[in-house]
C-alpha cells in the first residue's frame, strides 16, 4: 500500500523530471514538446487551454510511464481527454472519471480510437470510492478539486480504499496551494 512519504518522494522525483535543463533554449524546447503533443493527439498546450496540462508535462508523463503497459490507471478528473490519451498510450487500462457528463462525452469523442479507456461519471465527494476497491489499480492521476479539504479527502480515500495503488500523480502541485498543502502534510 502507498504510504504518505512515498507521495512526497514521487512529487520530488516528478519535479526533478519536469524541471528544464537550465542551459536549454526554453523557446525551442517548448516548441518541440508542443509539436510532439499535437502529433500524438495529446491536445493543446496549457498556454492555449488553461484547463489542461502543458505539452511538456504530457510528454514527460508519457516518458515516466512508458513501461506501465500491464498496469491500470485511475484518472480522477478528465476534462477533454487530453491526458486520458497520454495515459492510454502507456497503460493497459485507463479508468477515467469526471463529474461532468459533457466532459466525459468530449473525452470519449477525442479518444474514440482508443479501446482501453473506460468512462465513468463519478463525484469524489458524493460517490463511493469503495466502488474501485476490488480493482487492481496501480496508479492514480489526481486532477479533481484543488482546494486543501477536497484533496485531503481524495488522498485519504485513495490510501484507505485503493490498496493496490503504488503511485499517485498530483496535477497542479506546483500551481495550487491546496494541493501542495494536502500532499506536504
Amino acid at each position: 500500500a502507498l504510504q504518505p512519504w512515498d507521495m512526497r518522494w514521487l512529487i520530488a522525483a516528478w519535479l526533478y523530471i519536469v524541471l528544464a535543463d537550465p542551459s536549454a533554449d526554453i523557446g525551442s524546447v517548448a516548441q518541440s514538446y508542443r509539436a510532439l503533443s499535437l502529433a500524438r493527439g495529446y491536445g493543446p498546450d496549457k498556454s492555449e487551454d488553461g484547463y489542461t496540462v502543458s505539452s511538456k508535462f504530457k510528454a514527460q508523463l508519457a516518458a515516466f510511464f512508458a513501461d506501465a503497459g500491464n498496469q491500470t490507471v485511475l484518472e480522477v478528473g478528465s476534462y477533454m481527454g487530453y491526458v486520458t490519451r497520454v495515459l492510454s498510450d502507456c497503460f493497459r487500462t485507463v479508468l477515467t472519471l469526471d463529474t461532468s457528463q459533457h466532459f466525459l462525452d468530449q473525452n470519449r469523442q477525442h479518444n474514440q480510437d482508443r479501446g482501453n479507456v473506460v468512462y465513468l461519471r463519478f463525484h469524489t465527494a458524493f460517490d463511493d470510492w469503495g466502488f474501485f476497491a476490488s480493482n487492481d489499480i496501480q496508479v492514480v492521476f489526481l486532477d479533481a478539486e484543488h482546494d486543501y479539504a477536497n484533496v485531503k479527502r481524495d488522498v485519504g480515500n485513495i490510501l484507505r480504499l485503493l490498496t493496490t495503488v503504488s503511485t499517485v500523480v498530483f496535477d497542479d502541485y506546483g500551481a495550487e496551494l491546496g494541493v501542495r498543502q494536502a500532499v506536504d502534510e
Side-chain angles (χ1 to χ4, degrees), residues 135-156:
N135 291 280
D136 192 23
I137 298 168
Q138 291 77 32
V139 176
V140 174
F141 183 87
L142 188 57
D143 186 14
E145 297 295 326
H146 292 83
D147 63 282
Y148 169 79
N150 283 306
V151 175
K152 185 174 177 178
R153 183 204 57 239
D154 292 347
V155 170

Side-chain angles (χ1 to χ4, degrees), residues 124-183:
T124 62
F126 304 120
D127 294 322
D128 182 8
W129 282 80
F131 177 77
F132 303 104
S134 61
N135 291 280
D136 192 23
I137 298 168
Q138 291 77 32
V139 176
V140 174
F141 183 87
L142 188 57
D143 186 14
E145 297 295 326
H146 292 83
D147 63 282
Y148 169 79
N150 283 306
V151 175
K152 185 174 177 178
R153 183 204 57 239
D154 292 347
V155 170
N157 283 323
I158 292 166
L159 292 174
R160 188 170 42 86
L161 298 170
L162 307 182
T163 59
T164 59
V165 170
S166 61
T167 306
V168 177
V169 178
F170 295 89
D171 181 51
D172 289 325
Y173 173 84
E176 296 286 341
L177 181 60
V179 175
R180 196 167 42 258
Q181 286 177 324
V183 172

